[in-house]
């Protein structure tokens, strides 16, 4: 049987972000990445007999920041549960997480797109602890045929916020873009450094397909732990293609958990619905419910500042800069602030062009970020103004910028010292043009006869004569006047 | 050497009549002469060193170097801590429980660890995987449990006092069966950090002693909030040393349900005699009903095993404790836990696992929590009319070793009078109130949360009037 009905994918994402606390979720061990194994452990995170968890208040605060940024309601009371299963990376044999009473519920996140906005519902934000890290050792260093498995408990107990979206995404690229903008938001709020390679941001995707127009959800599969935007996009694409092919062949989708292998592009089943664990959730009796004071939540809300999405929206509306400019310039809080400072002094579009173009390329080698460079917003704005007013040409502008970046001196001073100011005086330029036309009669005749290409030759001669300080536009005008 | 109470010992040390070293040496000698099987581990060397240190100090700490024994469920650094289980055989903790640390700072000297039912699951200490503990009053009977070793050691006068833990009666019931004072504080009064968890929402550490005043003294040094235990409470009223001799104006409610079915005649008679004594001291006696308490055992045997099933999951042989040889991961878990846990522990893990299973949670665990709420309400209603409640501690005196091992339900009913207070998180104390056929009977007084001072006060007045002065044969 085959179906003629068009199918649409339905995607929801679950994201784990590692909270940027100093210490672990339930003990005072410091967090680390890349330190020698098992150097950040204590009886609590190793689950010795008799120990008890104590909640990290900073993790609660960052969880609230994340939930508020996603427009969630902060629950007046949220509860930690034990999620039970045996595995060597889980020392208590239960993970402390939140279950039916999470920290935040019912938010949404706007994903800015070149042609509008995509609103993604946020089901919930909850807090939990990470498991330890299992390493499989073999002489060849590969997991297959590993001779030994060892555990590094440094990561065990790291605070995580889990963010769950509604099934509001309709393509793999939308899913990746959502994740990119979410990453930017969480980074700028200091919730997490969201480094996908180091695992401080991990994403799972729930994927199903259904006939276009249907409001029912198809059977979903879960794609686990994709550790880059590209893998997420490719994995989801592969899974959509797999499901569409199955449905079109008249087969059923099995509910299962899948792993995407980016090296082969293949999907492997990790477990089916029947093999799913019964986690035997139990309210954690060692902890009291989280009851954040209303005033504290409001205080946190007041410290959020302008969210990246709002900033980008404002720049596009008020400054008239493009979607792409806004995307690049809002990459970090500091870059955004730098841009705003320059844009408040000169034409914002020019500001965006200079920062993204010439300034970026000149700073590339040193790796200095713009806001730490000698090209302060004030200096850059002065330079942009000189170019905008036609006082100097754009190539002279580049030269001046190099000097500003090197010395931090005022651009006007550099321009004067180097004699870069363009000759705007029509009489002076006119005299030079007259002389050159006279000195090159053959070319002048050809130009008059319609060989327009030769205009470049004369402009070049004028620029040479004036050591580049003439305004080329003006020169062109004058040559035209005298040869037409 | 004559055995003193803790209070007498401190006075004698301060008066220069004896020293910590001498008392500790005597306790070590007595703990080594242990026909009752009270001790699992001894720490003579460190105890002697500590006593010497205290004797030499310019200023004596409040507990002056008096020896103490600790139930093996409490973590003690470098001193083997097994919770009575093979799965922790040879386990030496890297840290000390908050309550033990507080006692050591106050000048108590730990001489050893006492026997118990494995993971505090039991009412006779017969579930210890190491040894039996015998009741000093009759070596053919059990000392009660799960803190049987801590009760027996005080009854046998090896040490003046000890620490136990009480989840559904594990301090009060063995105290009753051994003829000593046992006290379970309000839930949250004593930090649980370092107490190997059985049922987290019920477990409380508390004292065993020969007198109510010693009980109060010991508790006064272990109560108080602990930043390492989120469920510990800010203890704003200090525990006072009781002095009351009368009970004038004290309203005492006798729990009807606990004087009816299943109470041995001897226990009932001793309890009624104590009620008469209380009345003679000026107490106003009324009858009180706790209708939901009859469901206490059923609720308890869902909630406690449910919590235990997850608390005991950490014993997987990965990081510490016993570990079985296995070919793969599943076999490792199965064999380590299969060989490491005893039958009663396995029974409760199975029960708890079932009660929490998806699809059964509402019918069992959630329902049991509702019953718990009803029991709390019964107590709240009762305490609107009375100050304290009175009942027997245990429906029977000490039973024969082996008598109930094959009948879990009979064993579970040992705690019928103590479980309701545990479920409600209330403080309760058991004091000896007489003998029945030569075996001690315990009287239980319980009060509202935070009523420790009132409880100690009433218990002290009754203790003085009852003047229970019998000692087990062969104990001096």
């Amino acid at each position: 049987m085959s179906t003629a009905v068009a199918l649409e994918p339905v995607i929801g994402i679950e994201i784990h972000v590692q909270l940027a606390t100093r210490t672990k979720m339930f003990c005072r061990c410091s967090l680390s990445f890349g330190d020698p194994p098992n150097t950040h452990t204590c009886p609590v995170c190793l689950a010795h007999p008799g120990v008890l968890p104590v909640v990290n208040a900073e993790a609660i605060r960052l969880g609230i920041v994340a939930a508020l940024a996603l427009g969630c309601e902060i629950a007046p009371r949220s509860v930690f549960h034990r999620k039970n299963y045996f595995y060597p990376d889980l020392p208590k044999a239960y993970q402390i997480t939140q279950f039916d009473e999470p920290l935040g519920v019912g938010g949404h996140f706007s994903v800015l797109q070149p042609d509008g906005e995509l609103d993604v519902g946020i089901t919930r934000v909850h807090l939990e602890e990470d498991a330890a890290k299992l390493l499989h050792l073999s002489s060849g260093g590969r997991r297959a045929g590993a001779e030994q498995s060892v555990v590094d408990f440094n990561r065990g107990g790291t605070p995580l916020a889990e963010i769950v979206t509604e099934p509001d995404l309709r393509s793999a690229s939308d899913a990746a873009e959502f994740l990119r903008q979410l990453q930017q938001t969480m980074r700028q709020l200091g919730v997490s450094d969201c480094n996908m390679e180091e695992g401080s941001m991990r994403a799972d995707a729930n994927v199903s397909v259904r006939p276009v127009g249907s409001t029912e959800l198809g059977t979903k599969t879960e794609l686990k732990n994709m550790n880059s935007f590209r893998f997420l996009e490719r994995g989801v694409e592969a899974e959509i293609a797999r499901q569409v092919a199955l449905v079109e062949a008249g087969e059923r989708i099995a509910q299962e958990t899948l792993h995407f292998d980016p090296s082969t592009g293949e999907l492997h089943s990790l477990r089916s619905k029947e093999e799913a664990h019964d986690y035997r959730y139990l309210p954690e009796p060692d902890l009291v419910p989280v009851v954040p004071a209303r005033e504290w939540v409001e205080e946190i809300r007041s410290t959020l500042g302008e969210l990246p999405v709002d900033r980008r929206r404002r720049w596009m509306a008020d400054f008239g800069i493009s979607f792409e400019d806004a995307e690049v310039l809002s990459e970090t809080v500091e870059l955004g602030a730098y841009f705003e400072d320059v844009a408040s002094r000169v034409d914002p579009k020019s500001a965006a062009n200079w920062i993204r173009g010439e300034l970026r390329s000149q700073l590339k080698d040193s790796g200095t970020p713009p806001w730490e460079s000698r090209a302060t917003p004030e200096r850059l704005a002065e330079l942009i103004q000189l170019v905008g007013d036609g006082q100097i040409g754009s190539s002279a502008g580049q030269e001046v910028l190099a000097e500003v970046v090197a010395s931090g001196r005022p651009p006007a001073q550099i321009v004067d010292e180097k004699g870069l100011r363009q000759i705007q005086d029509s009489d002076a330029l006119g005299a030079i043009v007259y002389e050159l036309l006279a000195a090159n009669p053959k070319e002048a005749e050809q130009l008059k006869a319609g060989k327009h290409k030769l205009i470049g030759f004369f402009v070049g001669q004028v620029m040479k004569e004036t050591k580049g300080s003439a305004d080329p536009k003006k020169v062109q005008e004058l040559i035209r006047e005298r040869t037409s | 050497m004559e055995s003193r109470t803790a209070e007498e010992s401190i006075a004698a040390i301060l008066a220069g009549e004896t020293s910590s070293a001498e008392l500790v040496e005597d306790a070590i000698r007595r703990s080594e002469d242990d026909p009752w099987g009270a001790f699992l581990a001894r720490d003579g060397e460190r105890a002697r060193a500590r006593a010497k240190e205290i004797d030499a100090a310019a200023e004596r700490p409040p507990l002056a170097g008096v020896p103490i024994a600790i139930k093996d469920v409490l973590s003690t650094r470098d001193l083997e801590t097994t919770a009575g289980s093979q799965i922790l055989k040879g386990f030496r903790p890297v840290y000390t429980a908050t309550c033990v640390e507080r006692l050591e700072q106050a000048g108590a000297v730990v001489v050893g660890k006492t026997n118990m039912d494995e993971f505090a699951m039991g009412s006779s200490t017969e579930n210890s995987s190491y040894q039996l503990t015998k009741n000093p009053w009759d070596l053919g009977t059990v000392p009660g449990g799960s803190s049987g070793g801590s009760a027996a050691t005080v009854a046998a006068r090896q040490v003046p006092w000890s620490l136990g833990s009480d989840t559904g009666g594990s301090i009060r019931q063995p105290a009753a069966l051994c003829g000593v004072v046992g006290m379970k504080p309000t839930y949250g009064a004593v930090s649980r950090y370092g107490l190997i968890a059985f049922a987290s929402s019920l477990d409380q550490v508390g004292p065993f002693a020969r007198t109510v005043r010693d009980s109060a003294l010991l508790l006064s040094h272990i109560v108080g909030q602990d930043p390492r235990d989120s469920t510990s409470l800010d203890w704003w009223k200090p525990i006072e040393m009781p002095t009351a001799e009368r009970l004038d104006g004290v309203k005492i409610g006798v729990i009807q349900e606990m004087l009816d079915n299943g109470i041995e005649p001897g226990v009932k008679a001793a309890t009624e005699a104590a009620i008469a004594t209380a009345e003679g001291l000026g107490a106003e006696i009324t009858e009180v009903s706790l209708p939901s308490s009859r469901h206490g055992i059923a609720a308890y045997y869902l909630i406690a095993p449910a919590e235990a099933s997850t608390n005991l999951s950490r014993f997987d042989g990965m990081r510490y404790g016993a570990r079985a040889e296995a070919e793969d991961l599943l076999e490792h878990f199965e064999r380590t836990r299969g060989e490491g846990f005893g039958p009663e522990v396995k029974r409760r893990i199975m029960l708890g696992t079932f009660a929490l299973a998806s699809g059964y949670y509402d019918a069992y665990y959630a329902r049991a929590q509702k019953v718990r709420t009803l029991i709390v309400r019964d107590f709240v209603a009762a305490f609107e009319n009375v100050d304290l409640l009175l009942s027997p501690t245990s429906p029977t005196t000490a039973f024969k070793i082996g008598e109930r091992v094959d009948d879990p339900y009979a064993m579970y009913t040992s705690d019928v009078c103590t479980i309701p207070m545990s479920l409600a998180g209330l403080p309760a104390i058991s004091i000896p109130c007489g003998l029945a056929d030569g075996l001690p009977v315990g009287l239980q007084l319980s009060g509202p949360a935070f009523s420790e001072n009132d409880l100690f006060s009433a218990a002290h007045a009754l203790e003085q009037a009852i003047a229970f002065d019998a000692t087990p044969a062969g104990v001096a």
Side-chain angles (χ1 to χ4, degrees), chain B residues 216-433:
Chain B
L217 180 61
L218 189 47
L219 184 64
S220 73
H221 286 282
I222 58 175
V223 290
Q225 198 155 39
D226 177 7
R228 290 175 293 188
D229 177 1
S230 312
T231 64
S232 68
L233 301 168
D234 181 13
W235 203 260
W236 45 275
K237 341 183 240 208
I239 301 291
E240 290 158 7
M241 289 297 279
T243 54
E245 287 172 7
R246 302 269 316 159
L247 291 171
D248 295 308
V250 179
K251 291 181 193 154
I252 296 178
V254 177
I255 305 171
Q256 287 314 291
E257 287 82 357
M258 298 182 187
L259 265 185
D260 296 343
N261 300 333
I263 307 293
E264 274 181 2
V267 171
K268 190 169 179 175
T271 307
E272 279 166 350
I275 293 168
T277 305
E279 211 161 10
L281 294 175
E284 291 173 31
I285 307 290
T286 53
E287 291 187 354
V288 162
S289 174
L290 301 174
S292 298
S293 65
R294 67 195 173 94
H295 302 300
I297 289 184
Y300 177 87
Y301 277 99
L302 287 168
I303 293 166
E307 293 181 9
S309 72
T310 106
N311 281 330
L312 269 56
S313 294
R314 68 186 57 196
F315 302 104
D316 59 6
M318 285 284 164
R319 299 164 311 287
Y320 49 77
R323 165 180 220 161
E325 285 300 315
E327 289 298 310
D328 60 32
L329 190 61
L330 185 62
E331 192 192 341
H332 164 89
F333 288 137
E334 288 176 349
R335 289 198 54 198
T336 297
R337 292 167 62 79
E339 291 165 18
F341 291 135
E344 181 62 24
V345 172
K346 285 181 195 162
R347 178 162 29 238
R348 297 204 196 184
I349 289 174
M350 294 296 290
L351 200 59
T353 302
F354 187 74
L356 290 178
S358 167
Y360 294 96
Y361 182 91
D362 289 337
Y364 295 111
Y365 187 77
R367 202 181 180 103
Q369 290 289 15
K370 284 179 188 155
V371 171
R372 188 174 187 175
T373 305
L374 293 177
I375 289 172
V376 170
R377 283 189 199 150
D378 277 2
F379 279 108
V380 169
F383 288 126
E384 277 172 13
N385 301 313
V386 298
D387 301 312
L388 302 172
L389 292 170
L390 180 152
S391 69
T393 307
S394 162
T396 68
T397 54
F399 44 92
K400 293 268 178 267
I401 290 171
E403 186 184 312
R404 297 185 187 175
V405 281
D406 296 324
D407 185 354
Y409 190 73
M411 190 71 92
Y412 295 174
T413 58
S414 304
D415 293 327
V416 67
C417 299
T418 48
I419 278 175
M421 294 78 181
S422 292
L423 288 170
L426 304 179
I429 188 167
S430 177
I431 60 170
C433 66

Side-chain angles (χ1 to χ4, degrees), chain A residues 359-374 405:
Chain A
L359 181 63
R360 175 163 291 202
S361 80
Q362 291 210 16
L363 292 173
K364 205 171 171 184
D365 287 344
S366 70
T368 313
W371 57 94
E372 281 174 15
S373 75
R374 291 190 156 158
V405 165

Side-chain angles (χ1 to χ4, degrees), chain A residues 223-285:
Chain A
L223 260 70
K224 277 289 189 196
N225 254 330
M226 285 155 292
N227 64 357
S228 80
F229 297 113
R230 216 163 59 85
F231 294 166
L232 172 86
E233 197 167 338
R234 282 177 53 204
V236 171
E237 250 161 26
E239 177 55 11
I240 292 168
R242 190 188 69 92
Q243 290 193 15
V244 167
L246 278 176
V247 173
E248 285 178 348
E251 288 177 39
R252 295 171 65 95
I253 309 290
Q255 188 175 334
E256 59 188 335
T257 302
L258 301 165
H259 170 75
F260 174 68
D261 182 345
S263 62
T264 62
E266 283 169 12
L267 295 152
H268 304 285
S269 180
L270 293 174
R271 58 178 174 268
S272 69
K273 188 189 178 188
E274 289 69 35
E275 293 168 289
H277 291 113
D278 178 356
Y279 292 117
R280 296 179 290 115
Y281 283 96
L282 172 81
E284 169 57 286

Side-chain angles (χ1 to χ4, degrees), chain A residues 2 18 79 106 114 179 207 250 258 287 298 320 330 374 393 403 415 422 437 441 456 476:
Chain A
S2 92
Q18 177 182 322
V79 175
L179 201 58
V207 180
L258 301 165
L287 293 171
E298 290 317 307
S330 64
R374 291 190 156 158
E403 185 57 34
V415 166
Q422 292 183 138
L437 288 172
Q476 225 175 73

